[in-house]
Amino acid sequence: MDHKVAQLLEMGATAAQARAALKQYKDVMAAAERIFDGSFDHVRDDDGDIAMSPARDVPEPRKSGMITPEADDDDVEDNDDEDEYDSDDVEDFADYDSDYESKADVGQGMSKADPYAGVFFSKDRREEVIEVEEEPETAFVSEEKEEVKLMTQGQWMKGCPEGGEQSFLFTLYNELSESECRCPNGCDYSVQRQKRDFFPLFSEFSTYTKHLSKIVQRTCLKCSKKFCYACGEPVGSSKYSDQHDCLFHCPNLQGVILGVGLAMLESKFTEDLEQSASDKTRKRRQVQISTPQPLEVDVEEDDDFYPPISQTKKMKLGIGYAGDAREDTSGQLEALAAQRAKDEKLSKLLSDIRVFLPSIHRAGGGKPSDFLVHPTALAHLRRRFNFVSSQLLRNDSLTDMSDRSVLYFELLNWLETISCHEALASMMAMPIMVVTSVKSINSRKSSTSHIRERTIVYEGSSGPRELLEAIVIQAQAALKGLEPIKIEEEETVEMSEEQKRITNDDKGKGKDVNKAVAEENEKLLGFCTRILATARAIDRSLRDLKGDAFVDRLHTSLPKIPGSASAGEDRQVVDAGDTEESAQKAYIEWANRVRFEYCDLTVSSSDTNDDVPNYKFYYNNEARMLASSDIPKRSLAIAKELAVLTTNLPVAWNSSVFLRVDETRVDIIKALITGPEGTPYYNGCYLFDVFLGPSYNHAPPSVKYMTTNGGKFRFNPNLYQDGKVCLSLLGTWSGPGWIAGKSTLLQVLISIQSMILCEEPYLNEPGWATAAGTPQSKILRMLGEWW
């Protein structure tokens, strides 16, 4: 009895309501359904008030805005019950209201639909779960005439720690796999449930739902009345308009359909990941290497400063030497086609499962199971769907996501649907639990049977809304890069007959290319717009369902948009703490915030009649010449580039890369690279001006080294006093060069950071590649400067 009361307390009922409901309904789910439909709203504790757990004082949040179809208006108005939290669970999760000052209005009750209402789990949350792997049974499903594997209890309960979630999963699994389903009309007729009824793992999810629709509605052989095979409750006499309508009858069906469906999704997604990893391992990069030549260093005729080096023995090649390498790119089109096919299948599976997500906004109105969400549905969403969504949302390439838009659009549909339901919306703020360690348990039972036990440790990581924000930042940067695409309509001028003839002759030339570029621009523009719309929709739904305090607290954990007002215009002093560890942590947090920002790089001009601004920038003249130009292909390349740079610039205690981009001209960039630890450049700051010219990214960017004290100092064979940067990627020296449409500015910056600002710059001089460890190299390394 106490165990059942505890289950109802975790679902949001009060102790008095739980005891009263269990007196009438022995089954926990039946009691929960009656509590949540308002049948026990009149039940009070001995003092007339609803009891709260003595372990914590939970403030009263907003009033619930969602009711079940059976609830009366009066019941909803009188529903001022608050969630009851078991005192034993205080250490398992943190109350989100516990550390903010503003409290909700007194008299407003907490929603009973969401067992996690008002709760933010800490990212420091750690769960140790003992998971059981069993040899799956097989059974012949007569309705589909197919031999299939059955979902084991270990698979069903995967990832859920001991406590409320696990007890709900255990109860539902046992109920639907081995208990009797009795006719609710009291005629003593019953049907024995079997595991093959609700837990067959078909190859297709549609086959599973088709199977359920055939068996879920039963007719009593004694009283001839219909009842639900999943919950044992009567079924109305009205006919269903769709064969799947019967699958929305009760929370039990909802829980098992989402559980099995999400297990299929997780299995399919994991299988695709493993196959992709296997393909990459099998297909090695085929590289043809000729005689080693400098990858990026240059030598001029007057560079005779260095004495000849004896090459009596073979030494390691210097940093910056790789020879003339050509990568085999065959099979790329086939790989892209294969990935597209996988994405389409995965998107179709997601779409089919999403039909059964609780949604009171579905076409035709909400179904019965939409209003009362089964706890196991939430458990499977948090464990299985969150795993898939986190893998997809951690993609750091907006271009790749745009190319796989068929899958990502469906993922955004899921996030919107979840955020629109009061019982699910809290998931957007909760950390996603990820596996950090797996340890096998050796026991006599496991050694003598097909059962294997493992202890798996899960730790909290960024939640869905936080992961989405990283993509939002990329999308905003891409949209900023696409802004120059806007074309002003030109004034129509009457053409002469000769001009018309020439125009007709040239008609169609380049049309296909321009059309393809425009379509790609529109595709990226549409994808970025959809991402931003989804983020706004999620926040709007959360404010409606959870309140402003919930969303404000959530937003404090989101990564800030670089250079935006939200990051604050005032520069704050960074508290480094008293230890090196605290200083490193403070630096990393600060550097991640400021590594990419927009700023004003313009300078005042004495010419008041000049409408084109000047810039504090080496390539000022080139930039001014492109002020009024519009090159769609270039704009698209810059948009993709900015999306990557916003969240992928390397930041570390020993070396970082920072960018400042002009807020109105995103092709004007300043880069600052701090010298890596262990090199002569450690703790030095090296500034570069970068211009994305008219042919970018068909041609490499223009890069000029600025830390020369007015052309007086040279610190590296690759960095000249006049600012020239010798890098084969930039086309300033022989070797593997820029690949049109593929190479990126990020590659250039990392090459400078790791290959030019290197441990032994002496080796970057042509012909000296084998001089590692020689006295000359060591001396120059100690001096830490060149010339």
PDB file of all heavy atoms in Angstrom, residues 612-640:
ATOM      1  N   VAL A 612      30.595  55.950 -48.946  1.00  0.00           N
ATOM      2  CA  VAL A 612      31.140  54.633 -48.626  1.00  0.00           C
ATOM      3  C   VAL A 612      32.068  54.754 -47.424  1.00  0.00           C
ATOM      4  O   VAL A 612      33.026  55.528 -47.450  1.00  0.00           O
ATOM      5  CB  VAL A 612      31.912  54.047 -49.829  1.00  0.00           C
ATOM      6  CG1 VAL A 612      32.451  52.665 -49.479  1.00  0.00           C
ATOM      7  CG2 VAL A 612      31.003  53.963 -51.051  1.00  0.00           C
ATOM      8  N   PRO A 613      31.814  54.020 -46.350  1.00  0.00           N
ATOM      9  CA  PRO A 613      32.642  54.147 -45.147  1.00  0.00           C
ATOM     10  C   PRO A 613      34.048  53.584 -45.333  1.00  0.00           C
ATOM     11  O   PRO A 613      34.288  52.737 -46.203  1.00  0.00           O
ATOM     12  CB  PRO A 613      31.860  53.341 -44.099  1.00  0.00           C
ATOM     13  CG  PRO A 613      31.071  52.362 -44.895  1.00  0.00           C
ATOM     14  CD  PRO A 613      30.720  53.053 -46.175  1.00  0.00           C
ATOM     15  N   ASN A 614      34.967  54.054 -44.510  1.00  0.00           N
ATOM     16  CA  ASN A 614      36.317  53.511 -44.448  1.00  0.00           C
ATOM     17  C   ASN A 614      36.421  52.597 -43.231  1.00  0.00           C
ATOM     18  O   ASN A 614      35.668  52.734 -42.259  1.00  0.00           O
ATOM     19  CB  ASN A 614      37.337  54.649 -44.335  1.00  0.00           C
ATOM     20  CG  ASN A 614      37.521  55.383 -45.642  1.00  0.00           C
ATOM     21  OD1 ASN A 614      38.259  54.944 -46.521  1.00  0.00           O
ATOM     22  ND2 ASN A 614      36.831  56.513 -45.797  1.00  0.00           N
ATOM     23  N   TYR A 615      37.398  51.697 -43.301  1.00  0.00           N
ATOM     24  CA  TYR A 615      37.536  50.705 -42.245  1.00  0.00           C
ATOM     25  C   TYR A 615      38.967  50.683 -41.721  1.00  0.00           C
ATOM     26  O   TYR A 615      39.927  50.912 -42.481  1.00  0.00           O
ATOM     27  CB  TYR A 615      37.151  49.308 -42.754  1.00  0.00           C
ATOM     28  CG  TYR A 615      35.738  49.236 -43.257  1.00  0.00           C
ATOM     29  CD1 TYR A 615      35.448  49.509 -44.603  1.00  0.00           C
ATOM     30  CD2 TYR A 615      34.679  48.926 -42.412  1.00  0.00           C
ATOM     31  CE1 TYR A 615      34.144  49.465 -45.078  1.00  0.00           C
ATOM     32  CE2 TYR A 615      33.380  48.877 -42.876  1.00  0.00           C
ATOM     33  CZ  TYR A 615      33.116  49.148 -44.204  1.00  0.00           C
ATOM     34  OH  TYR A 615      31.831  49.102 -44.670  1.00  0.00           O
ATOM     35  N   LYS A 616      39.103  50.405 -40.445  1.00  0.00           N
ATOM     36  CA  LYS A 616      40.425  50.230 -39.852  1.00  0.00           C
ATOM     37  C   LYS A 616      40.889  48.827 -40.195  1.00  0.00           C
ATOM     38  O   LYS A 616      40.805  47.885 -39.403  1.00  0.00           O
ATOM     39  CB  LYS A 616      40.351  50.421 -38.337  1.00  0.00           C
ATOM     40  CG  LYS A 616      41.713  50.504 -37.671  1.00  0.00           C
ATOM     41  CD  LYS A 616      41.577  50.773 -36.181  1.00  0.00           C
ATOM     42  CE  LYS A 616      42.952  50.894 -35.528  1.00  0.00           C
ATOM     43  NZ  LYS A 616      42.839  51.144 -34.074  1.00  0.00           N
ATOM     44  N   PHE A 617      41.442  48.726 -41.425  1.00  0.00           N
ATOM     45  CA  PHE A 617      41.565  47.416 -42.034  1.00  0.00           C
ATOM     46  C   PHE A 617      42.579  47.504 -43.172  1.00  0.00           C
ATOM     47  O   PHE A 617      42.577  48.468 -43.945  1.00  0.00           O
ATOM     48  CB  PHE A 617      40.177  47.005 -42.553  1.00  0.00           C
ATOM     49  CG  PHE A 617      40.056  45.612 -43.072  1.00  0.00           C
ATOM     50  CD1 PHE A 617      40.302  44.520 -42.264  1.00  0.00           C
ATOM     51  CD2 PHE A 617      39.658  45.383 -44.386  1.00  0.00           C
ATOM     52  CE1 PHE A 617      40.144  43.239 -42.745  1.00  0.00           C
ATOM     53  CE2 PHE A 617      39.498  44.108 -44.876  1.00  0.00           C
ATOM     54  CZ  PHE A 617      39.751  43.025 -44.045  1.00  0.00           C
ATOM     55  N   TYR A 618      43.460  46.533 -43.278  1.00  0.00           N
ATOM     56  CA  TYR A 618      44.500  46.571 -44.304  1.00  0.00           C
ATOM     57  C   TYR A 618      43.893  46.579 -45.704  1.00  0.00           C
ATOM     58  O   TYR A 618      44.397  47.256 -46.608  1.00  0.00           O
ATOM     59  CB  TYR A 618      45.434  45.365 -44.141  1.00  0.00           C
ATOM     60  CG  TYR A 618      46.554  45.346 -45.158  1.00  0.00           C
ATOM     61  CD1 TYR A 618      47.717  46.075 -44.932  1.00  0.00           C
ATOM     62  CD2 TYR A 618      46.423  44.631 -46.348  1.00  0.00           C
ATOM     63  CE1 TYR A 618      48.737  46.078 -45.873  1.00  0.00           C
ATOM     64  CE2 TYR A 618      47.440  44.621 -47.281  1.00  0.00           C
ATOM     65  CZ  TYR A 618      48.598  45.355 -47.043  1.00  0.00           C
ATOM     66  OH  TYR A 618      49.602  45.363 -47.989  1.00  0.00           O
ATOM     67  N   TYR A 619      42.814  45.841 -45.884  1.00  0.00           N
ATOM     68  CA  TYR A 619      42.199  45.725 -47.202  1.00  0.00           C
ATOM     69  C   TYR A 619      41.045  46.716 -47.356  1.00  0.00           C
ATOM     70  O   TYR A 619      40.028  46.408 -47.977  1.00  0.00           O
ATOM     71  CB  TYR A 619      41.701  44.288 -47.424  1.00  0.00           C
ATOM     72  CG  TYR A 619      42.794  43.255 -47.368  1.00  0.00           C
ATOM     73  CD1 TYR A 619      42.988  42.479 -46.225  1.00  0.00           C
ATOM     74  CD2 TYR A 619      43.641  43.051 -48.450  1.00  0.00           C
ATOM     75  CE1 TYR A 619      43.993  41.531 -46.166  1.00  0.00           C
ATOM     76  CE2 TYR A 619      44.653  42.094 -48.394  1.00  0.00           C
ATOM     77  CZ  TYR A 619      44.822  41.347 -47.253  1.00  0.00           C
ATOM     78  OH  TYR A 619      45.828  40.403 -47.198  1.00  0.00           O
ATOM     79  N   ASN A 620      41.203  47.902 -46.790  1.00  0.00           N
ATOM     80  CA  ASN A 620      40.141  48.901 -46.813  1.00  0.00           C
ATOM     81  C   ASN A 620      39.704  49.250 -48.242  1.00  0.00           C
ATOM     82  O   ASN A 620      38.506  49.325 -48.543  1.00  0.00           O
ATOM     83  CB  ASN A 620      40.601  50.162 -46.081  1.00  0.00           C
ATOM     84  CG  ASN A 620      39.570  51.269 -46.134  1.00  0.00           C
ATOM     85  OD1 ASN A 620      38.426  51.094 -45.720  1.00  0.00           O
ATOM     86  ND2 ASN A 620      39.956  52.427 -46.666  1.00  0.00           N
ATOM     87  N   ASN A 621      40.655  49.480 -49.133  1.00  0.00           N
ATOM     88  CA  ASN A 621      40.315  49.868 -50.507  1.00  0.00           C
ATOM     89  C   ASN A 621      39.541  48.773 -51.224  1.00  0.00           C
ATOM     90  O   ASN A 621      38.564  49.044 -51.935  1.00  0.00           O
ATOM     91  CB  ASN A 621      41.588  50.223 -51.281  1.00  0.00           C
ATOM     92  CG  ASN A 621      42.254  51.472 -50.764  1.00  0.00           C
ATOM     93  OD1 ASN A 621      41.589  52.344 -50.191  1.00  0.00           O
ATOM     94  ND2 ASN A 621      43.567  51.580 -50.950  1.00  0.00           N
ATOM     95  N   GLU A 622      39.993  47.524 -51.076  1.00  0.00           N
ATOM     96  CA  GLU A 622      39.298  46.406 -51.713  1.00  0.00           C
ATOM     97  C   GLU A 622      37.873  46.271 -51.162  1.00  0.00           C
ATOM     98  O   GLU A 622      36.923  45.987 -51.900  1.00  0.00           O
ATOM     99  CB  GLU A 622      40.068  45.102 -51.505  1.00  0.00           C
ATOM    100  CG  GLU A 622      41.388  45.021 -52.244  1.00  0.00           C
ATOM    101  CD  GLU A 622      42.536  45.617 -51.451  1.00  0.00           C
ATOM    102  OE1 GLU A 622      42.257  46.420 -50.523  1.00  0.00           O
ATOM    103  OE2 GLU A 622      43.700  45.295 -51.757  1.00  0.00           O
ATOM    104  N   ALA A 623      37.731  46.476 -49.856  1.00  0.00           N
ATOM    105  CA  ALA A 623      36.410  46.360 -49.240  1.00  0.00           C
ATOM    106  C   ALA A 623      35.478  47.452 -49.738  1.00  0.00           C
ATOM    107  O   ALA A 623      34.286  47.211 -49.990  1.00  0.00           O
ATOM    108  CB  ALA A 623      36.539  46.420 -47.721  1.00  0.00           C
ATOM    109  N   ARG A 624      35.997  48.672 -49.888  1.00  0.00           N
ATOM    110  CA  ARG A 624      35.166  49.792 -50.352  1.00  0.00           C
ATOM    111  C   ARG A 624      34.689  49.569 -51.785  1.00  0.00           C
ATOM    112  O   ARG A 624      33.578  49.959 -52.145  1.00  0.00           O
ATOM    113  CB  ARG A 624      35.964  51.097 -50.258  1.00  0.00           C
ATOM    114  CG  ARG A 624      36.057  51.644 -48.846  1.00  0.00           C
ATOM    115  CD  ARG A 624      37.138  52.717 -48.718  1.00  0.00           C
ATOM    116  NE  ARG A 624      36.974  53.772 -49.707  1.00  0.00           N
ATOM    117  CZ  ARG A 624      36.171  54.829 -49.589  1.00  0.00           C
ATOM    118  NH1 ARG A 624      35.432  54.952 -48.473  1.00  0.00           N
ATOM    119  NH2 ARG A 624      36.088  55.742 -50.514  1.00  0.00           N
ATOM    120  N   MET A 625      35.512  48.925 -52.595  1.00  0.00           N
ATOM    121  CA  MET A 625      35.134  48.669 -53.987  1.00  0.00           C
ATOM    122  C   MET A 625      33.945  47.716 -54.089  1.00  0.00           C
ATOM    123  O   MET A 625      33.195  47.748 -55.058  1.00  0.00           O
ATOM    124  CB  MET A 625      36.327  48.111 -54.764  1.00  0.00           C
ATOM    125  CG  MET A 625      37.446  49.119 -54.985  1.00  0.00           C
ATOM    126  SD  MET A 625      38.886  48.395 -55.789  1.00  0.00           S
ATOM    127  CE  MET A 625      38.161  47.884 -57.363  1.00  0.00           C
ATOM    128  N   LEU A 626      33.776  46.850 -53.071  1.00  0.00           N
ATOM    129  CA  LEU A 626      32.683  45.875 -53.090  1.00  0.00           C
ATOM    130  C   LEU A 626      31.480  46.334 -52.275  1.00  0.00           C
ATOM    131  O   LEU A 626      30.579  45.543 -51.997  1.00  0.00           O
ATOM    132  CB  LEU A 626      33.168  44.526 -52.543  1.00  0.00           C
ATOM    133  CG  LEU A 626      34.146  43.735 -53.420  1.00  0.00           C
ATOM    134  CD1 LEU A 626      34.577  42.468 -52.703  1.00  0.00           C
ATOM    135  CD2 LEU A 626      33.515  43.380 -54.764  1.00  0.00           C
ATOM    136  N   ALA A 627      31.475  47.611 -51.883  1.00  0.00           N
ATOM    137  CA  ALA A 627      30.435  48.096 -50.967  1.00  0.00           C
ATOM    138  C   ALA A 627      29.035  47.919 -51.528  1.00  0.00           C
ATOM    139  O   ALA A 627      28.096  47.586 -50.807  1.00  0.00           O
ATOM    140  CB  ALA A 627      30.689  49.556 -50.626  1.00  0.00           C
ATOM    141  N   SER A 628      28.836  48.152 -52.815  1.00  0.00           N
ATOM    142  CA  SER A 628      27.492  48.100 -53.400  1.00  0.00           C
ATOM    143  C   SER A 628      27.266  46.853 -54.237  1.00  0.00           C
ATOM    144  O   SER A 628      26.284  46.760 -54.969  1.00  0.00           O
ATOM    145  CB  SER A 628      27.260  49.348 -54.271  1.00  0.00           C
ATOM    146  OG  SER A 628      28.235  49.419 -55.295  1.00  0.00           O
ATOM    147  N   SER A 629      28.172  45.896 -54.156  1.00  0.00           N
ATOM    148  CA  SER A 629      28.046  44.693 -54.991  1.00  0.00           C
ATOM    149  C   SER A 629      27.164  43.653 -54.308  1.00  0.00           C
ATOM    150  O   SER A 629      27.009  43.644 -53.090  1.00  0.00           O
ATOM    151  CB  SER A 629      29.427  44.097 -55.269  1.00  0.00           C
ATOM    152  OG  SER A 629      30.009  43.643 -54.060  1.00  0.00           O
ATOM    153  N   ASP A 630      26.606  42.810 -55.117  1.00  0.00           N
ATOM    154  CA  ASP A 630      25.808  41.702 -54.595  1.00  0.00           C
ATOM    155  C   ASP A 630      26.156  40.461 -55.398  1.00  0.00           C
ATOM    156  O   ASP A 630      25.847  40.368 -56.587  1.00  0.00           O
ATOM    157  CB  ASP A 630      24.314  41.997 -54.687  1.00  0.00           C
ATOM    158  CG  ASP A 630      23.503  40.821 -54.174  1.00  0.00           C
ATOM    159  OD1 ASP A 630      23.519  40.574 -52.960  1.00  0.00           O
ATOM    160  OD2 ASP A 630      22.875  40.144 -55.012  1.00  0.00           O
ATOM    161  N   ILE A 631      26.842  39.512 -54.746  1.00  0.00           N
ATOM    162  CA  ILE A 631      27.270  38.279 -55.402  1.00  0.00           C
ATOM    163  C   ILE A 631      26.660  37.118 -54.629  1.00  0.00           C
ATOM    164  O   ILE A 631      27.181  36.723 -53.577  1.00  0.00           O
ATOM    165  CB  ILE A 631      28.809  38.174 -55.426  1.00  0.00           C
ATOM    166  CG1 ILE A 631      29.420  39.473 -55.976  1.00  0.00           C
ATOM    167  CG2 ILE A 631      29.256  36.981 -56.250  1.00  0.00           C
ATOM    168  CD1 ILE A 631      30.926  39.532 -55.869  1.00  0.00           C
ATOM    169  N   PRO A 632      25.533  36.596 -55.091  1.00  0.00           N
ATOM    170  CA  PRO A 632      24.813  35.567 -54.321  1.00  0.00           C
ATOM    171  C   PRO A 632      25.674  34.373 -53.922  1.00  0.00           C
ATOM    172  O   PRO A 632      25.576  33.892 -52.793  1.00  0.00           O
ATOM    173  CB  PRO A 632      23.683  35.160 -55.276  1.00  0.00           C
ATOM    174  CG  PRO A 632      23.469  36.363 -56.129  1.00  0.00           C
ATOM    175  CD  PRO A 632      24.816  36.976 -56.321  1.00  0.00           C
ATOM    176  N   LYS A 633      26.508  33.896 -54.829  1.00  0.00           N
ATOM    177  CA  LYS A 633      27.322  32.721 -54.500  1.00  0.00           C
ATOM    178  C   LYS A 633      28.303  33.043 -53.375  1.00  0.00           C
ATOM    179  O   LYS A 633      28.527  32.232 -52.481  1.00  0.00           O
ATOM    180  CB  LYS A 633      28.083  32.262 -55.741  1.00  0.00           C
ATOM    181  CG  LYS A 633      28.743  30.899 -55.582  1.00  0.00           C
ATOM    182  CD  LYS A 633      29.297  30.390 -56.901  1.00  0.00           C
ATOM    183  CE  LYS A 633      29.866  28.981 -56.743  1.00  0.00           C
ATOM    184  NZ  LYS A 633      30.386  28.454 -58.019  1.00  0.00           N
ATOM    185  N   ARG A 634      28.883  34.231 -53.407  1.00  0.00           N
ATOM    186  CA  ARG A 634      29.792  34.668 -52.348  1.00  0.00           C
ATOM    187  C   ARG A 634      29.042  34.822 -51.031  1.00  0.00           C
ATOM    188  O   ARG A 634      29.520  34.419 -49.973  1.00  0.00           O
ATOM    189  CB  ARG A 634      30.444  35.991 -52.758  1.00  0.00           C
ATOM    190  CG  ARG A 634      31.267  36.670 -51.675  1.00  0.00           C
ATOM    191  CD  ARG A 634      31.902  37.927 -52.260  1.00  0.00           C
ATOM    192  NE  ARG A 634      32.655  38.693 -51.277  1.00  0.00           N
ATOM    193  CZ  ARG A 634      32.195  39.753 -50.631  1.00  0.00           C
ATOM    194  NH1 ARG A 634      30.959  40.191 -50.865  1.00  0.00           N
ATOM    195  NH2 ARG A 634      32.947  40.388 -49.759  1.00  0.00           N
ATOM    196  N   SER A 635      27.862  35.423 -51.079  1.00  0.00           N
ATOM    197  CA  SER A 635      27.065  35.611 -49.867  1.00  0.00           C
ATOM    198  C   SER A 635      26.718  34.285 -49.223  1.00  0.00           C
ATOM    199  O   SER A 635      26.750  34.143 -47.994  1.00  0.00           O
ATOM    200  CB  SER A 635      25.784  36.390 -50.197  1.00  0.00           C
ATOM    201  OG  SER A 635      26.088  37.660 -50.707  1.00  0.00           O
ATOM    202  N   LEU A 636      26.392  33.296 -50.057  1.00  0.00           N
ATOM    203  CA  LEU A 636      26.066  31.964 -49.530  1.00  0.00           C
ATOM    204  C   LEU A 636      27.276  31.351 -48.849  1.00  0.00           C
ATOM    205  O   LEU A 636      27.165  30.777 -47.755  1.00  0.00           O
ATOM    206  CB  LEU A 636      25.588  31.067 -50.670  1.00  0.00           C
ATOM    207  CG  LEU A 636      25.263  29.614 -50.305  1.00  0.00           C
ATOM    208  CD1 LEU A 636      24.099  29.559 -49.332  1.00  0.00           C
ATOM    209  CD2 LEU A 636      24.949  28.800 -51.554  1.00  0.00           C
ATOM    210  N   ALA A 637      28.452  31.481 -49.470  1.00  0.00           N
ATOM    211  CA  ALA A 637      29.672  30.925 -48.885  1.00  0.00           C
ATOM    212  C   ALA A 637      29.996  31.603 -47.557  1.00  0.00           C
ATOM    213  O   ALA A 637      30.378  30.940 -46.583  1.00  0.00           O
ATOM    214  CB  ALA A 637      30.835  31.080 -49.865  1.00  0.00           C
ATOM    215  N   ILE A 638      29.845  32.921 -47.509  1.00  0.00           N
ATOM    216  CA  ILE A 638      30.127  33.650 -46.270  1.00  0.00           C
ATOM    217  C   ILE A 638      29.128  33.256 -45.179  1.00  0.00           C
ATOM    218  O   ILE A 638      29.490  33.103 -44.004  1.00  0.00           O
ATOM    219  CB  ILE A 638      30.089  35.167 -46.522  1.00  0.00           C
ATOM    220  CG1 ILE A 638      31.254  35.575 -47.431  1.00  0.00           C
ATOM    221  CG2 ILE A 638      30.155  35.942 -45.211  1.00  0.00           C
ATOM    222  CD1 ILE A 638      31.242  37.035 -47.824  1.00  0.00           C
ATOM    223  N   ALA A 639      27.863  33.088 -45.552  1.00  0.00           N
ATOM    224  CA  ALA A 639      26.840  32.690 -44.579  1.00  0.00           C
ATOM    225  C   ALA A 639      27.192  31.349 -43.943  1.00  0.00           C
ATOM    226  O   ALA A 639      27.105  31.174 -42.720  1.00  0.00           O
ATOM    227  CB  ALA A 639      25.474  32.619 -45.259  1.00  0.00           C
ATOM    228  N   LYS A 640      27.602  30.394 -44.765  1.00  0.00           N
ATOM    229  CA  LYS A 640      27.987  29.084 -44.242  1.00  0.00           C
ATOM    230  C   LYS A 640      29.228  29.201 -43.362  1.00  0.00           C
ATOM    231  O   LYS A 640      29.335  28.529 -42.327  1.00  0.00           O
ATOM    232  CB  LYS A 640      28.232  28.110 -45.396  1.00  0.00           C
ATOM    233  CG  LYS A 640      26.980  27.757 -46.192  1.00  0.00           C
ATOM    234  CD  LYS A 640      27.323  26.806 -47.324  1.00  0.00           C
ATOM    235  CE  LYS A 640      26.076  26.395 -48.112  1.00  0.00           C
ATOM    236  NZ  LYS A 640      26.405  25.466 -49.221  1.00  0.00           N
TER     237      LYS A 640
END
